[in-house]
């Protein structure tokens, strides 16, 4: 178990799932939970603490920004919900104002922490946080397409009848409708699935495109059934936090500014990057097919269009959990 402290801002469905995953796996020695609903945060902290006899000693407390001093990682799951009659751009601008408040407080109280942004739209808000925070952009990471990639590998594992951990395949670009599956570099056991038989199955373009559509629509399907998604993204957050705390230097599809990789810059989207104790170290861009390259460029333009209309001002500054 790490002795490091981790903060979570926003303890709604996603924040609580992340806290539970971090607690159950003993990834941090101390968890600090923040929410504008302080009694909710206190209740969640108490509830987790009562599981120590089953899991091990992990301190969990509800706190304020001052309590984040010394945290090596702070996870941001906070934002405002859409009001009746409000358009997407209005919502983005209000969330940007919330992030301005969060950024200022984190720069004062936890200037050395790596920030993990999980609030949707994660690519837009990671870009906003990178611009607002005084810390290096490499220390502001969005969860990006880690969840999409996990879903992709899980369904490919099911399709080919293998453990998903044996599947190496990425979803890049936006965490959203314009995301891009990398079929050309997807492998199982070192065999490229596009041109080699794997476990008795050949690449079936129609079947696998339908599989990708299930990946892309997974959040909609889950929300339609249970109202929100939280458990898998909670696991994603815990995994990413562990990679940072343990300086694993793992290659993950996180949301960052590619800074010219694939000709994309000045916005955040997911590309594979080496991640360690100081956040993102370097991108590890796979070679793309022409179709994939066009798709990634189109995904970047979708995000650029959203960013172009944004301002940071107004809003009521309230912070609460938003669904993933």
């Amino acid at each position: 178990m790490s002795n490091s402290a981790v903060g979570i801002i926003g303890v709604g469905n996603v924040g609580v799932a992340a806290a539970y995953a971090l607690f159950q796996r003993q990834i941090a020695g101390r968890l600090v939970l923040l929410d504008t609903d302080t009694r909710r945060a206190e209740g969640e902290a108490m509830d987790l603490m009562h599981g120590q006899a089953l899991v091990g000693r992990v301190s969990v407390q509800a706190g304020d920004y001052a309590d984040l001093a010394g945290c090596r990682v702070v996870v941001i799951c906070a934002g405002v919900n859409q009001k009746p009659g409000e358009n997407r751009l209005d919502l983005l601008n209000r969330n940007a104002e919330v992030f301005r408040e969060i950024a200022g407080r984190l720069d004062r109280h936890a200037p050395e922490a790596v920030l993990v942004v999980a609030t949707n739209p994660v690519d837009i808000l990671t870009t906003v946080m990178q611009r607002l925070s005084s810390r290096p952009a490499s220390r502001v990471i969005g969860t990006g397409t880690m969840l999409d990639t996990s879903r992709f590998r899980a369904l490919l594992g099911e399709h080919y009848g293998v453990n998903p951990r044996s599947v190496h395949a990425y979803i890049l670009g936006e965490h959203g409708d314009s995301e891009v599956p990398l079929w050309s570099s997807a492998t199982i056991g070192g065999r490229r699935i596009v041109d080699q038989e794997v476990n008795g199955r050949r690449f079936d373009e129609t079947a696998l495109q339908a599989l990708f559509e299930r990946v892309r629509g997974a959040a909609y399907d889950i929300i339609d059934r249970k109202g929100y998604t939280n458990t898998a993204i909670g696991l994603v957050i815990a995994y990413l936090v562990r990679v940072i705390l343990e300086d694993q230097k793992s290659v993950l599809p996180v949301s960052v500014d590619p800074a010219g990789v694939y000709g994309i810059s000045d916005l955040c989207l997911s590309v594979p990057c080496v991640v360690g104790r100081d956040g993102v170290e370097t991108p590890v861009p796979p070679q793309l097919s022409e179709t994939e390259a066009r798709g990634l460029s189109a995904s970047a333009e979708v995000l650029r269009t959203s960013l172009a209309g944004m301002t940071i001002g107004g809003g009521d500054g309230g912070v609460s959990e938003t669904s993933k």
Side-chain angles (χ1 to χ4, degrees):
M1 180 180 69
S2 170
N3 291 322
S4 297
V6 173
I8 299 178
I9 302 175
V11 289
N13 295 321
V14 172
V16 168
Y20 177 76
L22 288 162
F23 177 86
Q24 200 274 336
R25 296 184 173 197
Q26 295 185 286
I27 291 172
R30 180 167 69 96
L31 296 176
V32 183
L33 310 183
L34 277 70
D35 199 279
T36 51
D37 185 346
T38 56
R39 287 181 60 81
R40 169 70 182 269
E42 290 168 356
E44 296 292 357
M46 292 168 63
D47 204 6
L48 279 175
M49 284 284 283
H50 295 162
Q52 286 186 105
L54 306 171
V55 171
R57 184 165 178 78
V58 179
S59 171
V60 189
Q61 68 180 93
D64 205 340
Y65 284 90
D67 297 302
L68 298 177
C71 283
R72 287 185 53 196
V73 181
V74 175
V75 181
I76 303 171
C77 301
V80 293
N81 293 314
Q82 196 160 6
K83 295 178 178 179
E86 184 176 48
N87 63 35
R88 184 173 182 271
L89 184 57
D90 290 336
L91 178 63
L92 284 175
N93 286 329
R94 286 203 300 128
N95 268 315
E97 185 60 26
V98 168
F99 269 48
R100 177 194 289 278
E101 179 183 345
I102 292 172
R105 293 187 178 187
L106 289 177
D107 283 350
R108 286 195 299 274
H109 297 291
E112 301 301 318
V114 174
L115 307 184
V116 171
V117 179
T119 307
N120 266 335
V122 66
D123 303 294
I124 297 295
L125 292 175
T126 302
T127 305
V128 168
M129 183 56 74
Q130 286 191 354
R131 294 178 182 180
L132 291 172
S133 178
S134 64
R135 73 199 69 220
S138 60
R139 298 178 74 85
V140 179
I141 307 172
T143 51
T145 58
M146 284 184 66
L147 176 55
D148 310 270
T149 293
S150 179
R151 289 167 172 161
F152 193 39
R153 293 177 180 181
L155 292 184
L156 283 172
E158 178 183 317
H159 179 79
Y160 283 98
V162 300
N163 189 323
R165 290 187 176 185
S166 299
V167 178
H168 298 278
Y170 288 111
I171 300 285
L172 300 190
E174 177 196 18
H175 171 59
D177 293 341
S178 70
E179 64 189 29
V180 181
L182 300 195
W183 296 113
S184 66
S185 57
T187 64
I188 297 174
R191 299 172 70 88
R192 293 200 325 150
I193 66 174
V194 293
D195 53 20
Q196 297 181 70
E197 185 176 286
V198 177
N199 202 22
R201 304 201 71 166
R202 294 187 178 277
F203 188 86
D204 181 332
E205 185 173 355
T206 300
L208 290 177
Q209 179 60 29
L211 180 150
F212 168 63
E213 295 297 338
R214 289 172 60 197
V215 172
R216 184 163 55 186
Y220 302 113
D221 292 338
I222 294 167
I223 290 168
D224 181 59
R225 288 161 173 78
K226 61 178 273 190
Y228 55 88
T229 65
N230 67 326
T231 49
I233 187 60
L235 291 170
V236 163
I237 291 167
Y239 187 94
L240 178 54
V241 170
R242 168 168 269 168
V243 165
I244 295 166
L245 293 180
E246 296 180 357
D247 194 27
Q248 288 187 11
K249 303 189 186 303
S250 296
V251 177
L252 304 173
V254 289
S255 187
V256 296
D257 184 342
V261 173
Y262 300 126
I264 300 168
S265 59
D266 299 323
L267 58 82
C268 291
L269 48 60
S270 287
V271 295
C273 296
V274 176
V275 180
R277 73 169 72 249
D278 294 318
V280 169
E281 296 187 1
T282 184
V284 185
Q287 184 173 351
L288 306 181
S289 69
E290 290 185 6
T291 299
E292 292 162 353
R294 286 195 302 270
L296 193 59
S297 294
S299 189
E301 286 308 306
V302 168
L303 294 168
R304 200 177 302 282
T305 298
S306 292
L307 284 165
M310 289 185 66
T311 59
I312 302 175
D316 56 17
V319 179
S320 61
E321 227 287 334
T322 58
S323 63
K324 190 67 181 169

